[in-house]
Amino acid sequence: MEQSTTLVRLASMLDNDFYKFTMQCAVVSLFADVKATYKFINRGGHRYPPGFGQALRASVDAMAELKLQPDEKEYLHTTCPYLSPAYIDFLAGYKYHPQEVRIHQEGEELEVTVEGYWFRTILWEVPLLSLISELFYILTGQKRIADVDIERRTAKKIHLFNQLGVTVAEFGTRRRHSFEVHRLIASTLKKHHGNSYIGTSNVHLARMTGVKPIGTHAHEWFMFHGAYYGFKMAGGLGLENWATVFQGDLGVALSDTYTTDIFFQQFNKKLSKLFDGVRHDSGDPIEFAEKTITHYEKLGINPLYKFIIFSDGLNPEKVTHIAQATRGRIGISFGIGTNLTNDVGLDPMNIVIKLSSIQAGNDKPIPTIKLSDEKGKYTGDPEMIELAQKILGIPVDPA
């Protein structure tokens, strides 16, 4: 097959991470007039072969054919009662508009941007990344290990998690090797789950395998609030707006959009009591756990009634280390991505797509940024990053 005609098709409108749908529900409810721009970031410096941009274009164009099916709509009504009937009706009428995605390849470099109303463009990130990842392995001719070996590796991991007595969800849609591998992983986890495997972020595979779809919100929710309302308001107001839409459901707060220290300054007693727990996604996990426990104790909240979902680059060794260090001090759970869905004997890709700007009504576009607890993961306009650091009191590195 010629590279320019290589086509990867998504399995379903629901072949996406759950937090994209929950955030879309909130955006439709609160911010329907906001426009957004997303940009692809090639963190791993991957080199894309000739024809890659054309193949990605063809796969993106094919997404226009996707539509929520009647049985999928009923599944959302039954399984996700916190998604409003109005939103589910909206999703039933939603179709991807490929013209919202710009793809350009220059030599071995790839540029991808997405522009349009936020309530529409919010669904593009995860499918685009999964398409880029799957096409990369196809067009570079890399061969993975056999299915039986993938099953063996996955079963060994879930057996370890059962021995550790921890709960684990699969979070690996974005950088999976392929849908075929992802489906194999999902079925293997279900087969060997014991008490550990509790669900997947991929809604289509959750439905297909009869497990819980898992997710709340992502960094872009707080990146928007920081750009639109101000960095000092982003954490608190972002969570207040989330609670307004979901009334206490989906109560896991992402902590590191503007660093964990700033998050805990804004995570007041009301929010700490309202939200069931927090998610760790960058920086040292043990240090984060200590800060979280201390935060709850200072507010008179028993940490054992709350929990942390760890989700930053996890593998079985890291899960074991974190579990041993935090067991019996606070509730813990784990979201594991690439180590489950792209542990196939090849190097996983290091790629992301981030919200880069927002525009409300006739206002000028405002750059969005993410600071994270690792400076290497700072993303966005450098001047805006420096401004946020000054406003929030985060030390700025000398030039």
Side-chain angles (χ1 to χ4, degrees), residues 16-51:
N16 205 329
D17 276 345
F18 189 45
Y19 67 22
K20 302 306 292 192
F21 297 111
T22 57
M23 287 192 298
Q24 187 183 49
C25 177
V27 172
V28 168
S29 176
L30 299 179
F31 304 114
D33 67 333
V34 173
K35 294 180 181 179
T37 301
Y38 295 81
K39 290 186 178 180
F40 171 71
I41 303 172
N42 184 16
R43 283 180 176 167
H46 307 287
R47 301 299 179 184
Y48 296 89

PDB file of all heavy atoms in Angstrom, residues 16-51:
ATOM      1  N   ASN A  16     -12.452   7.494  22.501  1.00  0.00           N
ATOM      2  CA  ASN A  16     -11.880   8.742  22.999  1.00  0.00           C
ATOM      3  C   ASN A  16     -11.806   8.629  24.517  1.00  0.00           C
ATOM      4  O   ASN A  16     -12.458   7.762  25.108  1.00  0.00           O
ATOM      5  CB  ASN A  16     -12.775   9.920  22.595  1.00  0.00           C
ATOM      6  CG  ASN A  16     -12.036  11.248  22.502  1.00  0.00           C
ATOM      7  OD1 ASN A  16     -11.075  11.484  23.224  1.00  0.00           O
ATOM      8  ND2 ASN A  16     -12.494  12.115  21.610  1.00  0.00           N
ATOM      9  N   ASP A  17     -11.027   9.484  25.140  1.00  0.00           N
ATOM     10  CA  ASP A  17     -10.951   9.459  26.600  1.00  0.00           C
ATOM     11  C   ASP A  17     -12.188  10.104  27.214  1.00  0.00           C
ATOM     12  O   ASP A  17     -12.690  11.121  26.722  1.00  0.00           O
ATOM     13  CB  ASP A  17      -9.696  10.175  27.091  1.00  0.00           C
ATOM     14  CG  ASP A  17      -8.461   9.279  27.080  1.00  0.00           C
ATOM     15  OD1 ASP A  17      -8.634   8.050  26.960  1.00  0.00           O
ATOM     16  OD2 ASP A  17      -7.345   9.797  27.198  1.00  0.00           O
ATOM     17  N   PHE A  18     -12.629   9.537  28.322  1.00  0.00           N
ATOM     18  CA  PHE A  18     -13.873   9.972  28.953  1.00  0.00           C
ATOM     19  C   PHE A  18     -13.832  11.438  29.346  1.00  0.00           C
ATOM     20  O   PHE A  18     -14.837  12.146  29.253  1.00  0.00           O
ATOM     21  CB  PHE A  18     -14.139   9.089  30.177  1.00  0.00           C
ATOM     22  CG  PHE A  18     -15.486   9.286  30.806  1.00  0.00           C
ATOM     23  CD1 PHE A  18     -16.629   9.371  30.037  1.00  0.00           C
ATOM     24  CD2 PHE A  18     -15.611   9.374  32.189  1.00  0.00           C
ATOM     25  CE1 PHE A  18     -17.874   9.542  30.612  1.00  0.00           C
ATOM     26  CE2 PHE A  18     -16.851   9.546  32.778  1.00  0.00           C
ATOM     27  CZ  PHE A  18     -17.996   9.628  31.991  1.00  0.00           C
ATOM     28  N   TYR A  19     -12.646  11.920  29.787  1.00  0.00           N
ATOM     29  CA  TYR A  19     -12.617  13.313  30.251  1.00  0.00           C
ATOM     30  C   TYR A  19     -12.827  14.326  29.127  1.00  0.00           C
ATOM     31  O   TYR A  19     -13.146  15.475  29.386  1.00  0.00           O
ATOM     32  CB  TYR A  19     -11.377  13.625  31.072  1.00  0.00           C
ATOM     33  CG  TYR A  19     -10.014  13.614  30.418  1.00  0.00           C
ATOM     34  CD1 TYR A  19      -9.808  13.773  29.057  1.00  0.00           C
ATOM     35  CD2 TYR A  19      -8.871  13.478  31.227  1.00  0.00           C
ATOM     36  CE1 TYR A  19      -8.554  13.783  28.503  1.00  0.00           C
ATOM     37  CE2 TYR A  19      -7.595  13.493  30.684  1.00  0.00           C
ATOM     38  CZ  TYR A  19      -7.452  13.649  29.324  1.00  0.00           C
ATOM     39  OH  TYR A  19      -6.180  13.669  28.787  1.00  0.00           O
ATOM     40  N   LYS A  20     -12.680  13.905  27.874  1.00  0.00           N
ATOM     41  CA  LYS A  20     -13.009  14.820  26.784  1.00  0.00           C
ATOM     42  C   LYS A  20     -14.518  15.033  26.695  1.00  0.00           C
ATOM     43  O   LYS A  20     -14.980  16.143  26.417  1.00  0.00           O
ATOM     44  CB  LYS A  20     -12.467  14.281  25.457  1.00  0.00           C
ATOM     45  CG  LYS A  20     -10.980  14.054  25.429  1.00  0.00           C
ATOM     46  CD  LYS A  20     -10.156  15.280  25.818  1.00  0.00           C
ATOM     47  CE  LYS A  20     -10.238  16.393  24.818  1.00  0.00           C
ATOM     48  NZ  LYS A  20      -9.228  17.457  25.060  1.00  0.00           N
ATOM     49  N   PHE A  21     -15.289  13.981  26.945  1.00  0.00           N
ATOM     50  CA  PHE A  21     -16.752  14.117  26.915  1.00  0.00           C
ATOM     51  C   PHE A  21     -17.260  14.879  28.137  1.00  0.00           C
ATOM     52  O   PHE A  21     -18.170  15.702  28.016  1.00  0.00           O
ATOM     53  CB  PHE A  21     -17.397  12.739  26.830  1.00  0.00           C
ATOM     54  CG  PHE A  21     -17.056  11.987  25.579  1.00  0.00           C
ATOM     55  CD1 PHE A  21     -16.257  10.855  25.626  1.00  0.00           C
ATOM     56  CD2 PHE A  21     -17.521  12.411  24.339  1.00  0.00           C
ATOM     57  CE1 PHE A  21     -15.927  10.158  24.472  1.00  0.00           C
ATOM     58  CE2 PHE A  21     -17.206  11.728  23.173  1.00  0.00           C
ATOM     59  CZ  PHE A  21     -16.399  10.603  23.246  1.00  0.00           C
ATOM     60  N   THR A  22     -16.702  14.595  29.312  1.00  0.00           N
ATOM     61  CA  THR A  22     -17.155  15.324  30.499  1.00  0.00           C
ATOM     62  C   THR A  22     -16.818  16.807  30.381  1.00  0.00           C
ATOM     63  O   THR A  22     -17.634  17.668  30.729  1.00  0.00           O
ATOM     64  CB  THR A  22     -16.528  14.737  31.775  1.00  0.00           C
ATOM     65  OG1 THR A  22     -15.108  14.759  31.681  1.00  0.00           O
ATOM     66  CG2 THR A  22     -16.996  13.306  32.001  1.00  0.00           C
ATOM     67  N   MET A  23     -15.621  17.124  29.872  1.00  0.00           N
ATOM     68  CA  MET A  23     -15.276  18.534  29.680  1.00  0.00           C
ATOM     69  C   MET A  23     -16.135  19.169  28.600  1.00  0.00           C
ATOM     70  O   MET A  23     -16.548  20.326  28.722  1.00  0.00           O
ATOM     71  CB  MET A  23     -13.795  18.688  29.347  1.00  0.00           C
ATOM     72  CG  MET A  23     -12.862  18.459  30.526  1.00  0.00           C
ATOM     73  SD  MET A  23     -11.146  18.965  30.211  1.00  0.00           S
ATOM     74  CE  MET A  23     -10.709  17.867  28.861  1.00  0.00           C
ATOM     75  N   GLN A  24     -16.412  18.426  27.527  1.00  0.00           N
ATOM     76  CA  GLN A  24     -17.274  18.977  26.488  1.00  0.00           C
ATOM     77  C   GLN A  24     -18.654  19.311  27.053  1.00  0.00           C
ATOM     78  O   GLN A  24     -19.235  20.348  26.731  1.00  0.00           O
ATOM     79  CB  GLN A  24     -17.405  17.998  25.321  1.00  0.00           C
ATOM     80  CG  GLN A  24     -18.161  18.579  24.138  1.00  0.00           C
ATOM     81  CD  GLN A  24     -18.345  17.586  23.008  1.00  0.00           C
ATOM     82  OE1 GLN A  24     -18.774  16.451  23.223  1.00  0.00           O
ATOM     83  NE2 GLN A  24     -18.018  17.992  21.790  1.00  0.00           N
ATOM     84  N   CYS A  25     -19.162  18.439  27.911  1.00  0.00           N
ATOM     85  CA  CYS A  25     -20.448  18.698  28.565  1.00  0.00           C
ATOM     86  C   CYS A  25     -20.400  20.009  29.342  1.00  0.00           C
ATOM     87  O   CYS A  25     -21.318  20.827  29.264  1.00  0.00           O
ATOM     88  CB  CYS A  25     -20.790  17.528  29.487  1.00  0.00           C
ATOM     89  SG  CYS A  25     -22.320  17.727  30.429  1.00  0.00           S
ATOM     90  N   ALA A  26     -19.312  20.233  30.077  1.00  0.00           N
ATOM     91  CA  ALA A  26     -19.175  21.457  30.870  1.00  0.00           C
ATOM     92  C   ALA A  26     -19.006  22.684  29.981  1.00  0.00           C
ATOM     93  O   ALA A  26     -19.565  23.753  30.265  1.00  0.00           O
ATOM     94  CB  ALA A  26     -17.987  21.324  31.826  1.00  0.00           C
ATOM     95  N   VAL A  27     -18.261  22.545  28.898  1.00  0.00           N
ATOM     96  CA  VAL A  27     -18.056  23.674  27.988  1.00  0.00           C
ATOM     97  C   VAL A  27     -19.367  24.054  27.303  1.00  0.00           C
ATOM     98  O   VAL A  27     -19.710  25.239  27.179  1.00  0.00           O
ATOM     99  CB  VAL A  27     -16.969  23.340  26.950  1.00  0.00           C
ATOM    100  CG1 VAL A  27     -16.880  24.426  25.877  1.00  0.00           C
ATOM    101  CG2 VAL A  27     -15.610  23.172  27.629  1.00  0.00           C
ATOM    102  N   VAL A  28     -20.120  23.062  26.842  1.00  0.00           N
ATOM    103  CA  VAL A  28     -21.421  23.334  26.231  1.00  0.00           C
ATOM    104  C   VAL A  28     -22.325  24.071  27.206  1.00  0.00           C
ATOM    105  O   VAL A  28     -23.061  24.993  26.832  1.00  0.00           O
ATOM    106  CB  VAL A  28     -22.079  22.014  25.766  1.00  0.00           C
ATOM    107  CG1 VAL A  28     -23.540  22.232  25.410  1.00  0.00           C
ATOM    108  CG2 VAL A  28     -21.331  21.440  24.565  1.00  0.00           C
ATOM    109  N   SER A  29     -22.243  23.693  28.470  1.00  0.00           N
ATOM    110  CA  SER A  29     -23.095  24.294  29.490  1.00  0.00           C
ATOM    111  C   SER A  29     -22.685  25.721  29.843  1.00  0.00           C
ATOM    112  O   SER A  29     -23.544  26.586  30.021  1.00  0.00           O
ATOM    113  CB  SER A  29     -23.063  23.424  30.755  1.00  0.00           C
ATOM    114  OG  SER A  29     -23.797  24.013  31.803  1.00  0.00           O
ATOM    115  N   LEU A  30     -21.372  25.990  29.932  1.00  0.00           N
ATOM    116  CA  LEU A  30     -20.903  27.259  30.504  1.00  0.00           C
ATOM    117  C   LEU A  30     -20.187  28.186  29.528  1.00  0.00           C
ATOM    118  O   LEU A  30     -20.196  29.404  29.728  1.00  0.00           O
ATOM    119  CB  LEU A  30     -19.963  26.975  31.682  1.00  0.00           C
ATOM    120  CG  LEU A  30     -20.537  26.199  32.862  1.00  0.00           C
ATOM    121  CD1 LEU A  30     -19.453  25.987  33.912  1.00  0.00           C
ATOM    122  CD2 LEU A  30     -21.733  26.925  33.469  1.00  0.00           C
ATOM    123  N   PHE A  31     -19.559  27.644  28.488  1.00  0.00           N
ATOM    124  CA  PHE A  31     -18.660  28.470  27.671  1.00  0.00           C
ATOM    125  C   PHE A  31     -18.867  28.229  26.178  1.00  0.00           C
ATOM    126  O   PHE A  31     -17.912  28.064  25.424  1.00  0.00           O
ATOM    127  CB  PHE A  31     -17.201  28.181  28.051  1.00  0.00           C
ATOM    128  CG  PHE A  31     -16.911  28.371  29.517  1.00  0.00           C
ATOM    129  CD1 PHE A  31     -16.565  27.290  30.308  1.00  0.00           C
ATOM    130  CD2 PHE A  31     -16.990  29.620  30.100  1.00  0.00           C
ATOM    131  CE1 PHE A  31     -16.293  27.444  31.658  1.00  0.00           C
ATOM    132  CE2 PHE A  31     -16.723  29.800  31.446  1.00  0.00           C
ATOM    133  CZ  PHE A  31     -16.380  28.718  32.233  1.00  0.00           C
ATOM    134  N   ALA A  32     -20.114  28.240  25.740  1.00  0.00           N
ATOM    135  CA  ALA A  32     -20.417  27.885  24.355  1.00  0.00           C
ATOM    136  C   ALA A  32     -19.907  28.908  23.347  1.00  0.00           C
ATOM    137  O   ALA A  32     -19.812  28.602  22.148  1.00  0.00           O
ATOM    138  CB  ALA A  32     -21.927  27.702  24.183  1.00  0.00           C
ATOM    139  N   ASP A  33     -19.552  30.125  23.800  1.00  0.00           N
ATOM    140  CA  ASP A  33     -19.105  31.153  22.861  1.00  0.00           C
ATOM    141  C   ASP A  33     -17.585  31.217  22.734  1.00  0.00           C
ATOM    142  O   ASP A  33     -17.054  32.049  22.000  1.00  0.00           O
ATOM    143  CB  ASP A  33     -19.622  32.532  23.287  1.00  0.00           C
ATOM    144  CG  ASP A  33     -19.005  33.020  24.596  1.00  0.00           C
ATOM    145  OD1 ASP A  33     -18.603  32.162  25.419  1.00  0.00           O
ATOM    146  OD2 ASP A  33     -18.920  34.250  24.796  1.00  0.00           O
ATOM    147  N   VAL A  34     -16.873  30.347  23.417  1.00  0.00           N
ATOM    148  CA  VAL A  34     -15.408  30.399  23.430  1.00  0.00           C
ATOM    149  C   VAL A  34     -14.832  29.634  22.241  1.00  0.00           C
ATOM    150  O   VAL A  34     -15.258  28.513  21.942  1.00  0.00           O
ATOM    151  CB  VAL A  34     -14.856  29.812  24.744  1.00  0.00           C
ATOM    152  CG1 VAL A  34     -13.329  29.690  24.701  1.00  0.00           C
ATOM    153  CG2 VAL A  34     -15.289  30.675  25.925  1.00  0.00           C
ATOM    154  N   LYS A  35     -13.858  30.245  21.579  1.00  0.00           N
ATOM    155  CA  LYS A  35     -13.102  29.577  20.522  1.00  0.00           C
ATOM    156  C   LYS A  35     -11.758  29.125  21.088  1.00  0.00           C
ATOM    157  O   LYS A  35     -11.256  29.696  22.055  1.00  0.00           O
ATOM    158  CB  LYS A  35     -12.901  30.506  19.329  1.00  0.00           C
ATOM    159  CG  LYS A  35     -14.198  30.868  18.626  1.00  0.00           C
ATOM    160  CD  LYS A  35     -13.957  31.800  17.450  1.00  0.00           C
ATOM    161  CE  LYS A  35     -15.273  32.162  16.765  1.00  0.00           C
ATOM    162  NZ  LYS A  35     -15.062  33.103  15.633  1.00  0.00           N
ATOM    163  N   ALA A  36     -11.178  28.105  20.472  1.00  0.00           N
ATOM    164  CA  ALA A  36      -9.945  27.528  21.000  1.00  0.00           C
ATOM    165  C   ALA A  36      -8.999  27.159  19.866  1.00  0.00           C
ATOM    166  O   ALA A  36      -9.423  26.854  18.750  1.00  0.00           O
ATOM    167  CB  ALA A  36     -10.249  26.288  21.836  1.00  0.00           C
ATOM    168  N   THR A  37      -7.714  27.190  20.184  1.00  0.00           N
ATOM    169  CA  THR A  37      -6.669  26.704  19.287  1.00  0.00           C
ATOM    170  C   THR A  37      -5.822  25.687  20.036  1.00  0.00           C
ATOM    171  O   THR A  37      -5.439  25.922  21.193  1.00  0.00           O
ATOM    172  CB  THR A  37      -5.771  27.850  18.791  1.00  0.00           C
ATOM    173  OG1 THR A  37      -6.566  28.816  18.110  1.00  0.00           O
ATOM    174  CG2 THR A  37      -4.691  27.336  17.849  1.00  0.00           C
ATOM    175  N   TYR A  38      -5.549  24.567  19.390  1.00  0.00           N
ATOM    176  CA  TYR A  38      -4.684  23.524  19.952  1.00  0.00           C
ATOM    177  C   TYR A  38      -3.478  23.346  19.036  1.00  0.00           C
ATOM    178  O   TYR A  38      -3.595  23.487  17.809  1.00  0.00           O
ATOM    179  CB  TYR A  38      -5.412  22.180  20.034  1.00  0.00           C
ATOM    180  CG  TYR A  38      -6.582  22.121  20.978  1.00  0.00           C
ATOM    181  CD1 TYR A  38      -7.837  22.615  20.596  1.00  0.00           C
ATOM    182  CD2 TYR A  38      -6.466  21.532  22.233  1.00  0.00           C
ATOM    183  CE1 TYR A  38      -8.925  22.528  21.453  1.00  0.00           C
ATOM    184  CE2 TYR A  38      -7.549  21.439  23.091  1.00  0.00           C
ATOM    185  CZ  TYR A  38      -8.769  21.946  22.697  1.00  0.00           C
ATOM    186  OH  TYR A  38      -9.856  21.856  23.533  1.00  0.00           O
ATOM    187  N   LYS A  39      -2.337  22.993  19.631  1.00  0.00           N
ATOM    188  CA  LYS A  39      -1.133  22.754  18.839  1.00  0.00           C
ATOM    189  C   LYS A  39      -0.471  21.436  19.248  1.00  0.00           C
ATOM    190  O   LYS A  39      -0.409  21.100  20.430  1.00  0.00           O
ATOM    191  CB  LYS A  39      -0.140  23.905  18.987  1.00  0.00           C
ATOM    192  CG  LYS A  39      -0.613  25.192  18.312  1.00  0.00           C
ATOM    193  CD  LYS A  39       0.452  26.267  18.335  1.00  0.00           C
ATOM    194  CE  LYS A  39      -0.030  27.523  17.602  1.00  0.00           C
ATOM    195  NZ  LYS A  39       0.993  28.593  17.609  1.00  0.00           N
ATOM    196  N   PHE A  40       0.033  20.721  18.250  1.00  0.00           N
ATOM    197  CA  PHE A  40       0.770  19.476  18.434  1.00  0.00           C
ATOM    198  C   PHE A  40       2.197  19.783  18.877  1.00  0.00           C
ATOM    199  O   PHE A  40       2.852  20.679  18.324  1.00  0.00           O
ATOM    200  CB  PHE A  40       0.765  18.709  17.113  1.00  0.00           C
ATOM    201  CG  PHE A  40       1.668  17.506  17.077  1.00  0.00           C
ATOM    202  CD1 PHE A  40       1.362  16.366  17.809  1.00  0.00           C
ATOM    203  CD2 PHE A  40       2.813  17.508  16.297  1.00  0.00           C
ATOM    204  CE1 PHE A  40       2.182  15.250  17.766  1.00  0.00           C
ATOM    205  CE2 PHE A  40       3.632  16.389  16.230  1.00  0.00           C
ATOM    206  CZ  PHE A  40       3.320  15.265  16.971  1.00  0.00           C
ATOM    207  N   ILE A  41       2.670  19.045  19.894  1.00  0.00           N
ATOM    208  CA  ILE A  41       4.028  19.219  20.410  1.00  0.00           C
ATOM    209  C   ILE A  41       4.752  17.882  20.306  1.00  0.00           C
ATOM    210  O   ILE A  41       4.333  16.895  20.916  1.00  0.00           O
ATOM    211  CB  ILE A  41       4.024  19.718  21.870  1.00  0.00           C
ATOM    212  CG1 ILE A  41       3.245  21.033  21.986  1.00  0.00           C
ATOM    213  CG2 ILE A  41       5.463  19.909  22.380  1.00  0.00           C
ATOM    214  CD1 ILE A  41       3.023  21.492  23.421  1.00  0.00           C
ATOM    215  N   ASN A  42       5.827  17.872  19.551  1.00  0.00           N
ATOM    216  CA  ASN A  42       6.606  16.660  19.299  1.00  0.00           C
ATOM    217  C   ASN A  42       7.728  16.573  20.333  1.00  0.00           C
ATOM    218  O   ASN A  42       8.902  16.791  20.031  1.00  0.00           O
ATOM    219  CB  ASN A  42       7.172  16.700  17.876  1.00  0.00           C
ATOM    220  CG  ASN A  42       7.907  15.433  17.490  1.00  0.00           C
ATOM    221  OD1 ASN A  42       7.786  14.392  18.139  1.00  0.00           O
ATOM    222  ND2 ASN A  42       8.680  15.518  16.417  1.00  0.00           N
ATOM    223  N   ARG A  43       7.381  16.231  21.583  1.00  0.00           N
ATOM    224  CA  ARG A  43       8.353  16.236  22.666  1.00  0.00           C
ATOM    225  C   ARG A  43       9.511  15.274  22.418  1.00  0.00           C
ATOM    226  O   ARG A  43      10.629  15.512  22.844  1.00  0.00           O
ATOM    227  CB  ARG A  43       7.665  15.855  23.988  1.00  0.00           C
ATOM    228  CG  ARG A  43       6.841  16.955  24.615  1.00  0.00           C
ATOM    229  CD  ARG A  43       6.215  16.449  25.901  1.00  0.00           C
ATOM    230  NE  ARG A  43       5.475  17.496  26.594  1.00  0.00           N
ATOM    231  CZ  ARG A  43       4.639  17.257  27.608  1.00  0.00           C
ATOM    232  NH1 ARG A  43       4.449  16.013  28.032  1.00  0.00           N
ATOM    233  NH2 ARG A  43       3.998  18.252  28.191  1.00  0.00           N
ATOM    234  N   GLY A  44       9.228  14.169  21.744  1.00  0.00           N
ATOM    235  CA  GLY A  44      10.254  13.153  21.522  1.00  0.00           C
ATOM    236  C   GLY A  44      11.149  13.416  20.331  1.00  0.00           C
ATOM    237  O   GLY A  44      12.069  12.622  20.066  1.00  0.00           O
ATOM    238  N   GLY A  45      10.908  14.498  19.587  1.00  0.00           N
ATOM    239  CA  GLY A  45      11.717  14.790  18.418  1.00  0.00           C
ATOM    240  C   GLY A  45      11.623  13.722  17.341  1.00  0.00           C
ATOM    241  O   GLY A  45      12.584  13.473  16.601  1.00  0.00           O
ATOM    242  N   HIS A  46      10.470  13.089  17.215  1.00  0.00           N
ATOM    243  CA  HIS A  46      10.290  12.013  16.241  1.00  0.00           C
ATOM    244  C   HIS A  46      10.368  12.566  14.815  1.00  0.00           C
ATOM    245  O   HIS A  46       9.921  13.689  14.544  1.00  0.00           O
ATOM    246  CB  HIS A  46       8.939  11.323  16.458  1.00  0.00           C
ATOM    247  CG  HIS A  46       8.735  10.856  17.859  1.00  0.00           C
ATOM    248  ND1 HIS A  46       9.399   9.774  18.396  1.00  0.00           N
ATOM    249  CD2 HIS A  46       7.953  11.338  18.863  1.00  0.00           C
ATOM    250  CE1 HIS A  46       9.033   9.592  19.650  1.00  0.00           C
ATOM    251  NE2 HIS A  46       8.154  10.536  19.962  1.00  0.00           N
ATOM    252  N   ARG A  47      10.909  11.759  13.904  1.00  0.00           N
ATOM    253  CA  ARG A  47      11.035  12.134  12.500  1.00  0.00           C
ATOM    254  C   ARG A  47       9.985  11.380  11.692  1.00  0.00           C
ATOM    255  O   ARG A  47       9.894  10.156  11.766  1.00  0.00           O
ATOM    256  CB  ARG A  47      12.439  11.799  11.994  1.00  0.00           C
ATOM    257  CG  ARG A  47      13.555  12.509  12.764  1.00  0.00           C
ATOM    258  CD  ARG A  47      13.429  14.013  12.642  1.00  0.00           C
ATOM    259  NE  ARG A  47      14.474  14.722  13.395  1.00  0.00           N
ATOM    260  CZ  ARG A  47      14.546  16.038  13.520  1.00  0.00           C
ATOM    261  NH1 ARG A  47      13.625  16.800  12.935  1.00  0.00           N
ATOM    262  NH2 ARG A  47      15.510  16.596  14.219  1.00  0.00           N
ATOM    263  N   TYR A  48       9.204  12.117  10.925  1.00  0.00           N
ATOM    264  CA  TYR A  48       8.066  11.530  10.230  1.00  0.00           C
ATOM    265  C   TYR A  48       8.424  11.250   8.777  1.00  0.00           C
ATOM    266  O   TYR A  48       8.954  12.118   8.081  1.00  0.00           O
ATOM    267  CB  TYR A  48       6.858  12.459  10.348  1.00  0.00           C
ATOM    268  CG  TYR A  48       6.428  12.600  11.789  1.00  0.00           C
ATOM    269  CD1 TYR A  48       6.978  13.595  12.614  1.00  0.00           C
ATOM    270  CD2 TYR A  48       5.535  11.701  12.356  1.00  0.00           C
ATOM    271  CE1 TYR A  48       6.631  13.693  13.952  1.00  0.00           C
ATOM    272  CE2 TYR A  48       5.175  11.796  13.689  1.00  0.00           C
ATOM    273  CZ  TYR A  48       5.731  12.787  14.482  1.00  0.00           C
ATOM    274  OH  TYR A  48       5.398  12.871  15.804  1.00  0.00           O
ATOM    275  N   PRO A  49       8.150  10.035   8.296  1.00  0.00           N
ATOM    276  CA  PRO A  49       8.557   9.625   6.950  1.00  0.00           C
ATOM    277  C   PRO A  49       7.745  10.333   5.871  1.00  0.00           C
ATOM    278  O   PRO A  49       6.674  10.891   6.136  1.00  0.00           O
ATOM    279  CB  PRO A  49       8.281   8.120   6.947  1.00  0.00           C
ATOM    280  CG  PRO A  49       7.182   7.939   7.936  1.00  0.00           C
ATOM    281  CD  PRO A  49       7.437   8.952   9.011  1.00  0.00           C
ATOM    282  N   PRO A  50       8.243  10.317   4.626  1.00  0.00           N
ATOM    283  CA  PRO A  50       7.500  10.929   3.509  1.00  0.00           C
ATOM    284  C   PRO A  50       6.080  10.363   3.417  1.00  0.00           C
ATOM    285  O   PRO A  50       5.864   9.159   3.584  1.00  0.00           O
ATOM    286  CB  PRO A  50       8.332  10.535   2.279  1.00  0.00           C
ATOM    287  CG  PRO A  50       9.715  10.327   2.812  1.00  0.00           C
ATOM    288  CD  PRO A  50       9.528   9.751   4.189  1.00  0.00           C
ATOM    289  N   GLY A  51       5.134  11.232   3.172  1.00  0.00           N
ATOM    290  CA  GLY A  51       3.746  10.812   3.025  1.00  0.00           C
ATOM    291  C   GLY A  51       2.979  10.736   4.330  1.00  0.00           C
ATOM    292  O   GLY A  51       1.772  10.463   4.329  1.00  0.00           O
TER     293      GLY A  51
END
